[in-house]
């Protein structure tokens, strides 16, 4: 076995292994099972009833991710008066909500929710986003084309774009501190929170903790863990004492982003398969129609021609017959005329001869008489 | 058109306006590629897509649908009397798609990575991937479909004859690819049900985009015909002129029917999603303007114009229908998109964004004129009378 053959065999083995792996995945998909997230993946529970709007999480995020220094310092709380969203330099922001009938404001932190089935990753046409087994959704800028479809797709308006960067503008968003989690550390914001409004842990545990809190503190919470099922479930989840709409969290539905597009994507092979058949059929039908029409036209022409020929022949025959008849008549007439003339001439001649003969006889007699 | 090369012919008012637009466009292009997207647009994190997507891409692709509509009706459905309309339609479609791709370079953060989804890292779960793949393939198909015009001009008979033999196959490819990407442009918004107003959001968005692209194609053939008659009448041969009226009435009739069907399925969709209550809101009024003023009205005008054999009326209907397509794409991508954001966070295009769009449209017209005055597009080449 030479080297090339060995490599070929190795390659074939690799391909078949890969194929079987793909096949296994396909089988699960065909089984109509939904993806409930990676086992033992992490998440964060944000309890808005504990949040005091101190912006320490924003500061922590800024520091661990080495983002540019902010224009307004993090201890300046006047920025809370205006509603903000995440942008390319601020991967997390805290907003203040004045809720009717409540004597204190409610604060809610905002960052990437790290969906179990992320809209951004589903929408990205170069696979720049990855849902990692630790629960985080990360982004690889070296693949990014900068189309910003992820920003259109994200139901939480999280990804931000570096519009003012002329040559290498990239998407910016929270990574759930994926590199720090890999090192066994807490995300920057969670570590910075002084009120334990943020709880980091395995997502399954967090769901249990959230429901425990609701159960053991009657009246304190809405009976809803936002993010447990929203958009197919998110790694970040929220507890609130007021309806979630009041803290700027829309009702989302429980379908994950890919479920909205699966139908359209699934119809692609059908279009590719069916259209050529139908169109070739349409072409064949129109071709056939043309052919039939041409044949019919040809037949009609032939029939018309034949008829014309027949008619012409008939007319000719009649004319000929007529002519012949006329000719016959003329001949007969001429013959008759000639015969009549001949007869007449003969009669005349005969008469003349007889008259001559008679006079001669008479002459002889006369002579004779004269002689007598 | 040789006299256009003399000095007096060059400085016509039309050419001067064209020159100014091209010059301004060049300046904006320079700013865009040296200062970044933020320097020339009003795009923001909440509004990542503006008119460069809403108009240049969505309208550009829809309005270039005349290519597949005309070639399919002539070659596949056997409507040979539209034959003289095929070349102009293929030419505008090819230019349309080509400049859609050109315009896309302005909008992309990394324009040079545009081939990435095709050759480097395929994100097959994305509808944008489907759009990209189909547009790239269809642009190639259109190029080949269009090439006989150039090959006849250049006198390359052998290659031209080979290409002409591929006509039927290319036309089928064209319809398949057009079905896919026209519908996928609508399907792009399926992933954002929370952002697009319920009157426009529908799981049938891809179907709506595909059906309305037929209207766009039919109407653009009539509309472009009007423009071409105004500017390039002398380039048209007898066949083209003789068939022109038949094209206008035939396509007008088809457009009337398709618009009526489109109106029907849009209404069905409102019923299926039970969105009736939204009709009483401001967005509802706007939706009704679109439905009655830009779907029902052109359908009616087309029908009337065809029945009365009134060319002018059909042309007016075509403009109405084309504006309706633009309105619909704007509604889906811009006006009804992000409808629940406060007014301060909404998008309105920067004048330089509009400048780039005008620049691109001007480029298309200029190149079309260049081609139509030189190559056998509006007339048959005397040496290739057989069948093109």
């Amino acid at each position: 076995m030479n080297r090339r053959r060995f490599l070929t065999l190795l390659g074939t083995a690799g391909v078949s292994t890969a194929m079987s792996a793909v096949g296994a995945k396909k089988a699960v998909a065909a089984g109509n099972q939904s993806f409930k997230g990676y086992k033992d993946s992490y998440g964060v529970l944000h309890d808005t009833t504990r949040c005091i709007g101190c912006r320490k999480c924003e500061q922590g995020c800024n520091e661990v991710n080495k983002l540019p220094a902010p224009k307004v310092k993090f201890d300046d709380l006047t920025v809370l008066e205006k509603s903000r969203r995440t942008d390319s330099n601020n991967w997390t922001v805290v907003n203040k909500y004045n809720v009717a009938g409540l004597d204190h404001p409610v604060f809610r932190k905002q960052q990437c929710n790290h969906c179990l089935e992320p809209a951004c990753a589903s929408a990205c046409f170069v696979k720049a986003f990855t849902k990692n087994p630790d629960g985080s959704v990360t982004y690889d800028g070296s693949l990014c084309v900068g189309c910003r479809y992820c920003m259109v797709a994200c139901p939480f308006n999280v990804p931000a774009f570096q519009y003012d960067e002329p040559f290498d503008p990239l998407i910016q968003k929270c990574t759930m501190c994926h590199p720090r989690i890999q090192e066994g550390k807490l995300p920057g914001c969670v570590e910075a929170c002084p009120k334990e409004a943020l709880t980091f842990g395995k997502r399954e545990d967090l769901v249990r903790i959230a429901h425990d809190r609701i159960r053991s503190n009657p009246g304190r919470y809405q009976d809803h863990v936002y993010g447990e099922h929203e958009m197919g479930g998110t790694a970040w989840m929220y507890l609130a004492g007021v309806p979630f709409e009041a803290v700027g969290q829309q009702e989302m539905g429980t379908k994950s982003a890919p479920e909205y597009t699966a139908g359209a994507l699934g119809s692609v092979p059908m279009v590719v398969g069916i259209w050529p058949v139908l169109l070739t059929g349409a072409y064949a039908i129109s071709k056939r129609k043309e052919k039939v029409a041409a044949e019919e036209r040809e037949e009609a022409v032939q029939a018309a021609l034949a008829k014309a020929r027949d008619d012409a022949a008939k007319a000719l025959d009649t004319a000929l017959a007529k002519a012949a008849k006329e000719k016959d008549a003329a001949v007969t007439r001429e013959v008759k005329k000639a015969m009549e003339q001949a007869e007449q001439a003969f009669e005349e001649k005969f008469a003349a001869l007889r008259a001559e003969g008679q006079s001669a006889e008479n002459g002889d007699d006369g002579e004779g008489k004269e002689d007598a | 058109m040789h006299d256009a090369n003399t000095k007096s012919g060059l400085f016509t008012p039309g050419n001067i306006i064209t020159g100014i637009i091209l010059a301004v466009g060049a300046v904006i292009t320079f700013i865009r590629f040296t200062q970044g997207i933020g320097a020339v647009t009003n795009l923001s994190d909440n509004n990542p897509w503006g008119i460069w997507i809403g108009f240049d891409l969505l309208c550009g692709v829809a309005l270039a649908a005349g290519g597949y509509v005309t070639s399919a009706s002539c070659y596949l459905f056997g409507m040979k009397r539209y034959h003289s309309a095929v070349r102009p339609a293929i030419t505008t479609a090819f230019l349309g798609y080509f400049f859609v791709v050109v315009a896309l370079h302005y909008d992309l953060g990394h324009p040079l990575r545009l081939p990435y989804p095709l050759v480097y890292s395929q994100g097959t779960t994305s509808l944008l991937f489907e759009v990209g793949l189909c547009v790239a393939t269809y642009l190639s198909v259109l190029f080949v479909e269009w090439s006989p015009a150039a090959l006849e001009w250049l006198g390359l008979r052998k290659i031209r004859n080979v290409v002409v033999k591929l006509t039927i196959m290319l036309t089928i490819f064209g319809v398949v690819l057009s079905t896919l990407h026209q519908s996928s442009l609508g399907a792009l918004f399926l992933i954002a049900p929370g952002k697009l107003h319920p009157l426009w959001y529908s799981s049938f968005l891809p179907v709506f985009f595909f059906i309305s692209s037929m209207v766009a194609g039919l109407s653009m053939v009539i509309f472009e015909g009007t423009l071409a008659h105004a500017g390039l009448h002398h380039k048209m041969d007898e066949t083209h002129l003789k068939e022109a009226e038949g094209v206008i009435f035939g396509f007008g009739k088809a457009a009337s029917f398709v618009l009526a069907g489109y109106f029907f399925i849009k209404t069905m969709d409102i019923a299926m999603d039970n969105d009736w209550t939204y009709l009483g809101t401001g967005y509802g009024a706007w939706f009704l303007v679109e439905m009655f003023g830009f779907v029902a009205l052109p359908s009616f005008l087309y029908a009337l114009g065809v029945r009365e054999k009134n060319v002018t009326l059909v042309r007016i209907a075509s403009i109405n229908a084309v504006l309706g397509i633009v309105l619909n794409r704007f509604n889906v991508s811009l006006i009804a998109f992000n409808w629940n954001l406060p007014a301060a966070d909404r998008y309105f295009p920067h004048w330089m964004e509009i400048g780039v769009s005008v620049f691109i449209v001007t480029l298309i017209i200029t190149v079309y004129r260049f081609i139509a005055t030189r190559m056998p597009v509006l007339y048959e080449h005397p040496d290739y009378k057989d069948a093109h």
Side-chain angles (χ1 to χ4, degrees):
Chain A
M1 188 189 284
N2 61 18
R3 183 168 170 273
R4 172 172 291 182
R5 186 162 159 68
F6 173 68
L7 286 175
T8 312
L9 280 177
L10 203 64
T12 316
V15 167
S16 60
T17 317
M19 290 302 277
S20 60
V22 168
K25 259 190 196 165
K26 283 271 155 58
V28 172
N32 217 7
Q33 294 179 16
S34 60
F35 178 64
K36 292 279 172 224
Y38 285 112
K39 187 117 186 78
D40 291 335
S41 68
Y42 294 106
V44 178
L45 177 66
H46 175 30
D47 189 336
T48 60
T49 65
R50 296 182 182 184
C51 181
I52 55 167
C54 64
R55 300 185 68 209
K56 287 280 192 290
C57 52
E58 291 184 32
Q59 188 173 2
C61 174
N62 179 284
E63 281 163 9
V64 302
N65 290 302
K66 301 185 178 60
L67 296 174
K71 284 191 202 112
V72 184
K73 282 205 168 128
F74 286 111
D75 50 13
D76 182 349
L77 299 182
T78 57
V79 296
L80 292 170
E81 296 310 316
K82 258 180 78 181
S83 169
R84 296 177 297 154
R85 62 154 284 163
T86 53
D87 61 39
S88 54
N89 295 332
N90 299 285
W91 294 355
T92 183
V93 292
V94 175
N95 274 311
K96 183 167 103 172
Y97 299 90
N98 292 309
V99 183
L102 220 62
D103 56 351
H104 58 86
V106 179
F107 301 94
R108 179 176 66 85
K109 180 182 176 303
Q110 201 182 90
Q111 72 299 305
C112 176
N113 284 324
H114 301 274
C115 304
L116 301 185
E117 294 190 70
C120 53
S122 161
C124 183
F125 71 161
V126 285
K127 290 193 290 192
F129 290 94
T130 311
K131 176 72 180 174
N132 300 299
D134 67 3
S136 63
V137 178
T138 51
Y139 160 83
D140 178 1
S142 72
L143 292 172
C144 183
V145 180
C147 72
R148 307 187 295 284
Y149 186 34
C150 51
M151 299 165 70
V152 169
C154 177
F156 304 107
N157 282 326
V158 166
F161 188 68
Q162 296 172 316
Y163 285 104
D164 295 322
E165 164 63 49
F167 301 113
D168 188 24
L170 295 175
I171 295 291
Q172 299 287 311
K173 75 164 198 72
C174 158
T175 63
M176 207 162 103
C177 285
H178 172 68
R180 284 170 62 88
I181 293 176
Q182 294 304 303
E183 292 169 21
K185 292 185 198 160
L186 285 174
C189 54
V190 177
E191 196 172 73
C193 182
K195 301 297 285 182
E196 291 187 20
L198 302 175
T199 312
F200 178 84
K202 285 188 180 154
R203 187 175 182 274
E204 292 150 37
D205 298 339
L206 294 176
V207 172
R208 213 171 304 124
I209 291 170
H211 284 289
D212 275 351
R213 281 191 203 168
I214 293 170
R215 214 172 7 252
S216 46
N217 296 282
R220 183 179 169 104
Y221 296 104
Q222 298 283 317
D223 188 12
H224 181 183
V225 181
Y226 191 92
E228 185 183 359
H229 300 299
E230 270 75 12
M231 291 304 287
T234 55
W236 276 69
M237 290 169 291
Y238 302 81
L239 285 173
V242 295
F244 282 99
E245 279 84 24
V247 290
Q249 287 181 304
Q250 274 189 47
E251 217 184 299
M252 285 285 169
T254 56
K255 260 163 95 172
S256 69
E259 286 176 73
Y260 287 101
T261 57
L265 281 168
S267 63
V268 171
M270 287 299 119
V271 173
V272 175
I274 293 170
W275 252 151
V277 178
L278 287 181
L279 293 171
T280 313
Y283 172 68
I285 291 171
S286 72
K287 255 277 180 270
R288 167 104 189 110
K289 264 188 185 163
E290 259 169 48
K291 205 179 150 206
V292 170
E295 276 171 7
E296 280 173 355
R297 209 178 308 124
E298 184 63 21
E299 257 170 43
V301 168
Q302 289 304 340
L305 267 180
K307 192 165 179 288
R309 214 177 290 128
D310 274 6
D311 288 353
K314 246 180 237 160
L316 189 67
D317 282 354
T318 328
L320 276 177
K322 203 173 159 197
K325 220 167 160 186
E326 267 167 19
K327 205 170 162 193
D328 279 356
V331 169
T332 322
R333 200 162 50 238
E334 286 302 309
V335 169
K336 211 171 160 190
K337 208 168 154 193
M339 280 189 46
E340 269 167 18
Q341 276 171 355
E343 218 167 301
Q344 209 179 335
F346 174 77
E347 294 273 332
E348 274 168 23
K349 211 164 181 188
F350 184 69
L353 280 176
R354 255 176 75 168
E356 211 172 289
Q358 241 168 20
S359 68
E361 211 173 289
N362 286 348
D364 285 348
D365 285 352
E367 271 173 38
K369 271 172 196 178
E370 274 166 79
D371 290 339
Chain B
M1 279 309 280
H2 287 291
D3 56 348
N5 294 333
T6 63
K7 228 176 182 183
S8 59
L10 204 57
F11 287 93
T12 58
N15 283 0
I16 291 172
I17 295 172
T18 306
I20 293 171
I21 293 173
L22 295 184
V24 173
V27 173
I28 302 175
T29 304
F30 180 77
I31 302 174
R32 152 66 187 93
F33 288 103
T34 51
Q35 309 290 307
I37 297 172
V40 294
T41 69
N42 280 345
L43 296 176
S44 63
D45 290 331
N46 281 328
N47 302 289
W49 284 358
I51 60 164
W52 287 350
I53 297 295
F55 182 76
D56 297 9
L57 176 66
L58 297 186
C59 295
V61 168
L63 297 179
Y68 87 85
V69 171
T70 315
S71 57
S73 45
C74 176
Y75 295 129
L76 300 182
F77 297 100
M79 302 177 193
K80 290 287 158 60
R81 59 189 183 281
Y82 302 140
H83 192 254
S84 64
V86 172
R87 271 218 185 161
I90 291 288
T91 306
T92 38
F94 170 57
L95 291 179
Y97 276 87
F98 180 78
F99 281 99
V100 160
V101 177
V102 171
L104 213 50
H105 284 74
Y106 287 78
D107 191 69
L108 295 174
H110 278 280
L112 296 181
R113 293 183 187 169
L114 190 53
Y116 272 24
L118 303 180
V119 295
Y120 188 53
S121 178
Q122 292 86 354
T124 47
T125 57
S126 171
L127 277 152
L128 198 60
F129 175 77
E130 194 195 327
V131 170
L133 188 63
C134 291
V135 169
T137 319
Y138 188 43
L139 181 59
S140 322
V141 168
L142 275 173
F143 176 73
V144 181
E145 276 189 285
W146 168 81
S147 65
L151 294 171
E152 286 171 18
W153 178 54
L154 297 169
L156 299 170
R157 184 182 281 271
K158 269 190 188 158
I159 312 177
R160 179 257 178 212
N161 288 344
V162 172
V163 176
V164 166
K165 286 212 176 71
L166 299 174
T167 302
I168 298 299
M169 197 188 72
L170 289 173
T171 308
I172 293 178
F173 271 11
V175 177
V176 171
L177 293 167
S178 294
T179 310
L180 289 176
H181 71 258
Q182 294 284 2
S183 59
S184 301
L185 285 175
L188 285 180
F189 296 91
L190 287 179
I191 204 165
K195 294 184 183 178
L196 183 55
H197 191 282
L199 283 172
W200 282 274
Y201 185 88
S202 159
S203 49
F204 290 101
L205 263 175
V207 179
F208 294 157
F209 266 55
F210 176 56
I211 302 285
S212 58
S213 83
M214 292 181 206
V215 176
L218 293 164
S219 303
M220 275 307 273
V221 169
I222 299 173
F223 178 60
E224 286 160 1
T226 314
L227 295 183
H229 273 277
L232 293 162
H233 193 89
H234 57 286
K235 281 284 159 191
M236 297 173 179
D237 67 2
E238 218 175 286
T239 323
H240 190 100
L241 293 171
K242 211 166 63 197
E243 289 184 2
E245 206 162 85
V247 171
I248 289 173
F249 291 130
F251 277 38
K253 195 174 186 178
S256 177
F257 274 109
V258 180
L259 276 166
Y262 180 66
F263 187 91
F264 182 70
I265 57 172
K266 288 278 278 187
T267 313
M268 290 264 287
D269 184 62
I270 299 301
M272 281 192 293
D273 293 350
N274 199 10
D275 289 332
W276 299 107
T277 47
Y278 289 105
L279 292 178
T281 63
Y283 275 103
W286 186 237
F287 181 78
L288 292 176
V289 167
E290 184 192 323
M291 289 292 286
F292 284 97
F294 295 90
V295 180
L297 182 62
S299 173
F300 175 71
L301 290 181
Y302 269 132
L304 198 62
V306 171
R307 195 188 66 174
E308 306 289 324
K309 293 270 169 265
N310 184 338
V311 173
T312 316
L313 192 56
V314 176
R315 284 182 171 158
I316 291 171
S318 76
I319 294 169
N320 188 342
V322 167
L323 289 177
I325 298 300
V326 174
L327 180 67
N328 175 257
R329 301 311 193 250
F330 274 18
N331 279 340
V332 171
S333 65
L334 304 170
I335 297 169
F337 191 79
N338 274 340
W339 66 290
N340 44 21
L341 284 189
D345 292 340
R346 298 300 303 276
Y347 160 87
F348 191 84
H350 192 280
W351 74 265
M352 286 204 265
E353 289 180 75
I354 301 172
V356 167
S357 293
V358 172
F359 174 61
I360 297 290
V361 172
T362 311
L363 277 179
I364 297 179
I365 296 171
T366 310
V367 177
Y368 183 85
R369 286 185 62 95
F370 178 90
I371 292 174
T373 49
R374 282 164 182 79
M375 300 179 198
V377 172
L378 299 171
Y379 60 93
E380 273 182 299
H381 196 290
D383 297 348
Y384 302 88
K385 281 282 186 193
D386 48 342
H388 65 59

